[in-house]
Amino acid sequence: MTSISRHLQKTSILAINSLDRRYGSTYRFHSLMDLMKQEGLSVTLSEIEASPLLKLWKAKWDAWTQSYDVLFTQKFNPITLSAILIARLRGKKVLVDWDDLDEGLQSNIFKQWIARTAEKMGPSWSHHISTHSSIIQERLKREHRAYTVIPQGFNETLFHALSPEEKGQAKERWGLQHAEYVVGHLCTFTHGGTLDLDVILDAWGKMDDSKIFFLLIGGGPLEPQIKKQIQHHGLEDRVKITGLLPQAEIPSALGCLDVSHVFMRDHEANRARVSFKVIESIAMGIPVVGSLVGASLDLFKSYVISANAESFVSRTMETLQTPPEYDRETFRKRFGGSSAREPLLLAIQKAISDS
């Protein structure tokens, strides 16, 4: 136990998750909450898999009725803003983990306006903000807001290189034991999660080598539309879809891959993201081919084999023939989940000490 965590031992945290389990932000939120518990802090989790209105009601009810010193939540949206306002009215401290910019991930103008308004109001309502994104850091600097950088980290117990035997078992589980090579992509089947999937499916449609099969790791409400895109590219016999998986099962699916694909168009929402799919793939020793922008490019440029929409196929074939070697131990020290421990405790301390 660190000196900071000893100082915070009597601090009670109300952690309000406003999102569904399928989102990467929820995974990050739960990981940070687990670190708090490991350090001996008292943490009460408030979350529900329900409609936005029920989520809003539960967040407000728990913010008003629970006993806590610090409200911890992620993102700025109507649900979290309501809880933050109640916490402030009760004289509680507020720490918000702001992991990406939601405006560019919304499916219509009204939702974009809501996200933009919430992200404009929210920082001034918080006692302290944590983030992993260099783009959000720049924005907070311009607005003269205090923040702490908590890096995006992978679960070191779950994500590690598989032995040849384990890889064979993983391929058999997903019905890919006959494939000489497996190329894949990890995402949630939501508007934001599939923002750039069309480029990847287009590249897969051009890879006519019968030895290569494809694995889409994910699921969600847009699955019928994704299946139509797969049929459009003539890939229905070569693409497997895992469906939405709990985090503990993602390594089994990733472990099938010989190459992991990623593509990020250059717009503000993507520039703010720090890609979990890149982190988790490299942690398992899987080569990543694709295009990054913004914060992800800053962090992972030396690890990702660069490819644009036109060169996806050729760079992938080169990588399958000559896969790169990664220094996974150095990568683990930089991006392993434990790297978030000290800055998280520091962020809580700063939220408490804010006057």
Side-chain angles (χ1 to χ4, degrees):
M1 184 178 296
T2 67
S3 59
I4 294 178
S5 61
R6 282 193 294 269
H7 177 71
L8 296 174
Q9 249 195 316
K10 294 183 180 179
T11 301
S12 58
I13 310 286
L14 174 62
I16 294 182
N17 174 29
S18 65
L19 302 177
D20 294 342
R21 293 192 187 98
R22 63 176 175 257
Y23 293 105
S25 296
T26 295
Y27 170 43
R28 173 176 167 88
F29 181 75
H30 275 262
S31 298
L32 295 179
M33 187 182 66
D34 289 343
L35 285 176
M36 294 179 190
K37 292 179 179 178
Q38 290 169 21
E39 291 298 314
L41 278 70
S42 172
V43 182
T44 301
L45 172 62
S46 170
E47 70 176 3
I48 184 173
E49 289 291 310
S51 68
L53 282 177
L54 284 176
K55 285 178 178 290
L56 176 63
W57 178 87
K58 181 169 177 56
K60 291 168 66 175
W61 176 259
D62 287 343
W64 186 255
T65 61
Q66 293 284 347
S67 175
Y68 59 95
D69 301 307
V70 177
L71 173 71
F72 173 59
T73 190
Q74 92 281 50
K75 297 182 178 294
F76 298 108
N77 57 44
I79 296 171
T80 60
L81 287 184
S82 298
I84 290 169
L85 179 59
I86 291 172
R88 294 296 301 248
L89 288 172
R90 293 185 64 192
K92 309 299 183 182
K93 298 297 185 177
V94 175
L95 171 63
V96 179
D97 186 61
W98 194 3
D99 70 330
D100 55 26
L101 299 173
D102 277 354
E103 180 184 349
L105 304 178
Q106 304 306 313
S107 57
N108 60 58
I109 294 174
F110 178 64
K111 289 182 178 179
Q112 290 169 5
W113 177 83
I114 291 175
R116 181 169 61 251
T117 302
E119 290 176 344
K120 185 175 181 179
M121 296 170 59
S124 64
W125 293 12
S126 309
H127 290 100
H128 198 65
I129 295 169
S130 61
T131 188
H132 57 63
S133 169
S134 57
I135 304 303
I136 294 177
Q137 291 173 49
E138 291 170 8
R139 177 167 169 172
L140 291 170
K141 285 177 184 177
R142 290 195 300 270
E143 297 176 1
H144 305 288
R145 305 286 178 195
Y147 65 90
T148 296
V149 177
I150 301 180
Q152 193 86 295
F154 66 91
N155 185 315
E156 296 169 55
T157 302
L158 291 176
F159 294 92
H160 52 80
L162 301 185
S163 67
E165 182 182 2
E166 290 172 325
K167 191 177 183 73
Q169 292 170 351
K171 291 175 73 172
E172 187 173 357
R173 174 184 175 181
W174 299 109
L176 294 165
Q177 63 271 22
H178 59 288
E180 186 169 337
Y181 298 111
V182 180
V183 175
H185 178 68
L186 169 64
C187 67
T188 54
F189 295 176
T190 60
H191 177 76
T194 60
L195 212 54
D196 307 303
L197 181 58
D198 59 313
V199 177
I200 290 172
L201 291 179
D202 185 58
W204 290 2
K206 296 173 182 175
M207 298 174 68
D208 56 4
D209 191 324
S210 60
K211 296 178 293 185
I212 301 174
F213 283 74
F214 308 99
L215 185 65
L216 261 182
I217 305 169
L222 296 185
E223 187 165 335
Q225 292 93 313
I226 300 305
K227 287 182 175 178
K228 287 181 181 179
Q229 292 183 45
I230 290 170
Q231 291 173 354
H232 172 74
H233 288 288
L235 290 166
E236 55 265 44
D237 294 329
R238 296 174 64 200
V239 176
K240 295 278 186 178
I241 299 177
T242 65
L244 200 60
L245 299 175
Q247 190 65 20
E249 294 187 32
I250 288 178
S252 170
L254 275 177
C256 296
L257 306 187
D258 298 292
V259 164
S260 179
H261 272 169
V262 61
F263 187 84
M264 303 172 77
R265 288 184 172 88
D266 191 7
H267 55 69
E268 188 179 41
N270 273 345
R271 288 194 293 272
R273 284 173 157 177
V274 175
S275 174
F276 261 128
K277 62 178 68 69
V278 173
I279 293 176
E280 292 171 347
S281 296
I282 294 173
M284 297 190 72
I286 299 164
V288 178
V289 174
S291 177
L292 303 179
V293 296
S296 289
L297 180 62
D298 294 342
L299 289 170
F300 308 125
K301 183 177 181 179
S302 62
Y303 292 97
V304 172
I305 298 160
S306 179
N308 57 28
E310 289 72 33
S311 63
F312 242 128
V313 175
S314 60
R315 298 310 303 271
T316 299
M317 298 305 294
E318 291 167 7
T319 305
L320 289 173
Q321 296 301 317
T322 312
E325 291 289 332
Y326 294 123
D327 182 352
R328 291 197 298 276
E329 180 59 22
T330 299
F331 189 84
R332 183 193 64 78
K333 289 178 180 178
R334 186 177 180 190
F335 297 106
S338 58
S339 64
R341 188 182 307 274
E342 287 292 332
L344 171 61
L345 296 173
L346 182 60
I348 298 171
Q349 188 176 56
K350 287 182 177 180
I352 292 171
S353 62
D354 184 277
S355 57

